[in-house]
Amino acid sequence: MGGRGQRRRVNCCWFAGILLLCFGERIFAQLRYSVPEELQVGSPVGNVAKDLGLDVSTLTDRRFRIVSGPNHALFQLNQNNGVLYIGKIMDREELCDGIKVCLINLKIVVENPLEIHYVGVEITDVNDHSPTFPESEQRLEIAENTPPSTRFQIHAARDPDVGTQSVRLYKLRPADFFDIETRDSEEDKIPFLVLKKPLDREQKAEHRLVLTAIDGGIPSKSGSLNLTITVLDANDNRPVFSKDIYTVSLDENAPIGTLVIQINATDLDEGSNSEIEYMFGKTQKKKVHDTFELDSVTGEIRVKGKVDFEEAEMYRLDMQASDKGQPPWTAESRVVIKIKDVNDNQPDIEVTSLSNVVPEDSKPGTVISLISVTDRDSGVNGKVICKILDNVPFDLTPSIEENMYSLVTKGRLDREIVSHYDITITATDCGEPALSTVKALSVQVSDVNDNRPLFSQNPFELYLVENNAPGASIFSVSASDNDQNENAAITYHIVRGDGLHRDMTSFLNVNSDTGQISALKSFDFETVKTFQFQVVATDSGTPSLSNNVTVNVFILDQNDNAPVILYPVSSNGSAEGVEEIPRNVNAGHLVTKVRAYDADIGYNGWLLFSLQEVTDHSLFALDRYTGQIRTLRSFTETDEAEHKLLILVKDNGNVSLSATATVIVKLVEPREAFAASDVKSATKVDEEDNVTFYLMITLGSVSLLFIISIIVLIAMQCSKSTDYTSKYLQEANYDGTLCHSIQYRSGDKRYMLVGPRMSIGSTIVPGSHANTLVLPDRRRGSGELYQHDAALSVVLTVTLVTAVIFT
């Protein structure tokens, strides 16, 4: 038990220190341990974590483990203390039969950062097998005239143990006539029975011997063979081979029946004593008998079974030649057949995937999988070139160990462009002809939040009819995000203003999920004509990304204002007036003019006049468009002195609105009319004397302002490109009604001033924008919508004020 305990002792040896090679974040190291075979499960091999200098407390988090391989089940790795244990009872003879050094290679991986370490465990031999002979008894026939020192080959004992644990010596008893000698071969010790002194059949015809084979273990083990020697008479010449050792080369995969070699032996005797029969040695392995056959007469050795270099690189055939004498003589020789490798094995690709999902923001050099390539052929036929076929952002990085690679990223990934990669890896050997193997890997690119929400356009333009219902939806915005899942989930909100008078965002609300925008109040075109606000779209990624869009809102007019009578207006505010005309006026005389105003624009503000009631249809006529009342004929003595006219004023809206005015026309005698005219003239003279002075000052100021405005406008236009040269397109129709439309263009913006048409005596409030609609040109962005507005507004305002004053 003490010896057994010593054999179970674990030896850890370092080969020239630790060989380190860094690939980015990966550090490779190689350790080597040695343990005896037949150790119990759970026996420690060595503390790998300690020998590698790893922190034991981080082994579990870093997934300290053995990578799956052919022999990974033989060992277990404890993640708590980093100790490598025996996982399965190992039989060295079963694992490494015929191999001097039994080395088990393990790949150990730790992550964060990734490290790959190679651990070699040498399984040392223990003396657990006794020498055995292929048969329990062997019979030999020896002629009595056999000279001393003649040797006879005996069955060699086999011991699966290696080194000093294998067969070391043979002992023979009794040893009166025979002795034992051994010949060392590359694989074992072959015993020979040596005749010490001549035999005498008449004295003793049969000798019984016991041959014992002893190994070199401590304690040693042994096996026995019973030898029966029959002494014969006659034949005194033995066959002789032409060579002691025959050497020949044979291609692997040679067809069955191929002649390998023909051996030759001769015998100087005559007759049956010289007839030679060839045979395999009695100790030949079964594999030899399965692969080759021997013609016992000719000595030809031919291929019988499959010749595979990967199973055996060399065959050693022990040959015997025996004559037919009595007793027969035999001779021994050896045929060494060296198998030449041909390229008959495709490379084999083994993939150890760390993960088949890689984030799209992974840095170049990120390890995806470990690739191991093997080829059972040797030499050039076993040299393998590994590469990736497709044009993908991945590359193979060689490892410190031959035919080991790491699949790494070599470029930036973008899931929105390519979300899935099928990687084809090909391994080609250097044989003739070359053989190759293809392996396909599937890698999925996972999403990260790297795309902002995008709107279909910017800005949006909303044309909203005034008097909208409060709380109803007026518009909808929608943004898209190229990311996935929560990274593409978008919420919306409105950028709130400072709450000042012109801030309309306080009257707007947006559904954070759908982007539906609703107005909390009803808008009035006559109060506000246009405004803008911004909507922000934000995704749900971490960190979140956002984008905004500008919405330009244009309020459209409705016919919601009735005409307002400006003249006639009585002192109590009603639309009534009295006009006195001389009785002797001619036909076509202008009696008066009804003036009206409509706050709406366009057709909604276009007014038409009509007579609803009149005492005598033959006396008066009303102009439909101007509102002028004229006489149709001269008055007669029979005409009444007072006439009442009821005038209807209506707009041209889809549902027209109207107002009425009453004009009472009194006919007076010419003298009374002149007197009344003189009284009015005197009154007007007094009033005009007081106004003349102020009117002159006003006209001078307005003229000066107008000239300054024209100079400023010319200077601004000269400093800009021709695209911004002001072009005024004025469509003025001064036909007497109170509806007008003026259009003008500045650069790529078109303006329309729509309001009551003006005539002599009409009034407009200077600086009013109540009837101005800005029509943006869609070819320009929102940033150019209000360029030059200030300068153009000044010029327009001055022009209007001047026109009003002169009127």
Side-chain angles (χ1 to χ4, degrees), residues 180-231:
I180 195 74
E181 291 182 1
T182 59
R183 185 183 70 187
D184 293 334
S185 68
E186 295 179 7
E187 296 180 346
D188 49 23
K189 291 180 178 293
I190 301 175
F192 291 89
L193 188 64
V194 180
L195 183 62
K196 293 171 58 177
K197 56 185 179 180
L199 298 176
D200 189 354
R201 188 188 65 82
E202 289 71 26
Q203 291 183 1
K204 191 173 185 179
E206 189 176 86
H207 298 267
R208 294 185 178 273
L209 309 175
V210 176
L211 180 65
T212 303
I214 303 172
D215 64 20
I218 300 176
S220 62
K221 294 185 178 183
S222 63
S224 299
L225 174 67
N226 294 321
L227 294 174
T228 301
I229 310 298
T230 301
V231 181

Side-chain angles (χ1 to χ4, degrees), residues 270-383:
E270 293 181 348
S272 62
N273 291 332
S274 64
E275 294 179 6
I276 297 176
E277 183 180 7
Y278 300 95
M279 65 193 72
F280 287 118
K282 296 185 180 298
T283 61
Q284 204 67 62
K285 293 182 179 179
K286 182 178 182 298
K287 181 64 176 174
V288 172
H289 293 278
D290 294 338
T291 308
F292 302 99
E293 63 181 356
L294 174 64
D295 190 316
S296 61
V297 177
T298 62
E300 292 180 348
I301 300 175
R302 295 183 180 272
V303 176
K304 176 183 177 182
K306 181 180 179 181
V307 179
D308 192 349
F309 174 86
E310 286 70 41
E311 293 183 3
E313 299 180 9
M314 182 182 297
Y315 291 91
R316 297 177 178 85
L317 282 62
D318 291 328
M319 310 302 299
Q320 287 185 350
S322 174
D323 59 27
K324 295 183 180 181
Q326 291 299 326
W329 286 86
T330 61
E332 297 81 24
S333 180
R334 171 166 288 191
V335 176
V336 177
I337 303 175
K338 296 182 179 179
I339 307 302
K340 293 190 297 183
D341 184 36
V342 297
N343 193 26
D344 61 340
N345 290 282
Q346 292 181 337
D348 181 61
I349 301 175
E350 178 187 353
V351 178
T352 302
S353 294
L354 302 180
S355 174
N356 61 348
V357 178
V358 55
E360 61 177 319
D361 61 347
S362 297
K363 296 180 179 179
T366 301
V367 179
I368 306 300
S369 299
L370 302 178
I371 312 296
S372 175
V373 182
T374 57
D375 193 317
R376 296 181 63 193
D377 295 320
S378 63
V380 176
N381 296 331
K383 185 175 179 60

Side-chain angles (χ1 to χ4, degrees), residues 20 29 79 84 88 101-102 125 160 260 319 324 359 362 406 448 512 524 584 597 671 688 728 752 767 803 806:
L20 296 178
Q79 291 188 345
L84 184 67
K88 182 179 178 182
V101 178
C102 183
D125 188 34
V260 180
M319 310 302 299
K324 295 183 180 181
S362 297
S406 297
V448 297
S512 61
D524 186 8
N584 59 350
Y597 169 75
R671 293 178 182 176
E688 290 175 356
Y728 294 89
M752 179 181 289
F806 275 103

Side-chain angles (χ1 to χ4, degrees), residues 80-134:
N80 296 322
N81 55 19
V83 175
L84 184 67
Y85 292 95
I86 299 298
K88 182 179 178 182
I89 295 178
M90 294 175 290
D91 186 353
R92 185 189 184 283
E93 287 71 31
E94 179 181 349
L95 292 175
C96 306
D97 185 21
I99 300 176
K100 292 183 179 180
V101 178
C102 183
L103 185 64
I104 304 299
N105 290 314
L106 302 176
K107 291 181 284 187
I108 295 180
V109 174
V110 290
E111 298 180 358
N112 299 321
L114 177 65
E115 296 181 8
I116 303 174
H117 303 281
Y118 297 92
V119 176
V121 181
E122 181 182 358
I123 310 301
T124 59
D125 188 34
V126 297
N127 192 23
D128 56 346
H129 294 86
S130 298
T132 59
F133 290 89

Side-chain angles (χ1 to χ4, degrees), residues 15 18 29 111 284 333 336 358 378 407 421 465 542 570 677 768:
F15 285 96
I18 297 178
E111 298 180 358
Q284 204 67 62
S333 180
V336 177
V358 55
S378 63
L407 179 63
Y421 289 95
V465 179
T542 303
S570 63
S677 177
S768 173

Side-chain angles (χ1 to χ4, degrees), residues 399-576:
S399 172
I400 60 172
E401 189 166 323
E402 187 178 5
N403 293 335
M404 286 290 297
Y405 300 89
S406 297
L407 179 63
V408 300
T409 58
K410 71 174 181 179
R412 293 291 181 180
L413 304 179
D414 192 342
R415 188 205 62 82
E416 288 70 38
I417 299 177
V418 180
S419 62
H420 177 83
Y421 289 95
D422 289 322
I423 303 172
T424 302
I425 300 174
T426 177
T428 306
D429 60 30
C430 298
E432 286 293 338
L435 300 178
S436 62
T437 300
V438 175
K439 188 80 171 182
L441 298 180
S442 179
V443 176
Q444 192 75 25
V445 182
S446 62
D447 184 48
V448 297
N449 192 26
D450 58 347
N451 289 277
R452 296 178 180 274
L454 296 177
F455 290 93
S456 58
Q457 67 181 74
N458 190 5
F460 286 104
E461 294 180 354
L462 169 61
Y463 294 89
L464 178 64
V465 179
E466 65 173 331
N467 302 321
N468 56 290
S473 175
I474 61 173
F475 195 57
S476 176
V477 295
S478 178
S480 61
D481 196 311
N482 292 329
D483 293 320
Q484 277 186 333
N485 302 327
E486 68 275 3
N487 294 332
I490 298 175
T491 58
Y492 303 89
H493 72 274
I494 294 177
V495 179
R496 302 296 179 182
D498 52 8
L500 298 179
H501 177 66
R502 296 293 294 177
D503 181 22
M504 293 297 172
T505 57
S506 58
F507 303 110
L508 300 174
N509 191 25
V510 63
N511 188 307
S512 61
D513 297 324
T514 64
Q516 287 285 342
I517 300 174
S518 57
L520 304 180
K521 63 168 287 186
S522 179
F523 293 104
D524 186 8
F525 174 81
E526 287 72 34
T527 303
V528 57
K529 292 176 178 54
T530 180
F531 63 90
Q532 67 175 205
F533 62 92
Q534 289 186 330
V535 179
V536 178
T538 306
D539 59 31
S540 301
T542 303
S544 61
L545 302 176
S546 62
N547 202 354
N548 60 353
V549 67
T550 300
V551 180
N552 295 319
V553 183
F554 300 95
I555 308 300
L556 302 180
D557 184 41
Q558 275 188 330
N559 191 25
D560 58 346
N561 290 282
V564 177
I565 304 299
L566 299 179
Y567 182 84
V569 179
S570 63
S571 59
N572 60 3
S574 61
E576 296 182 357

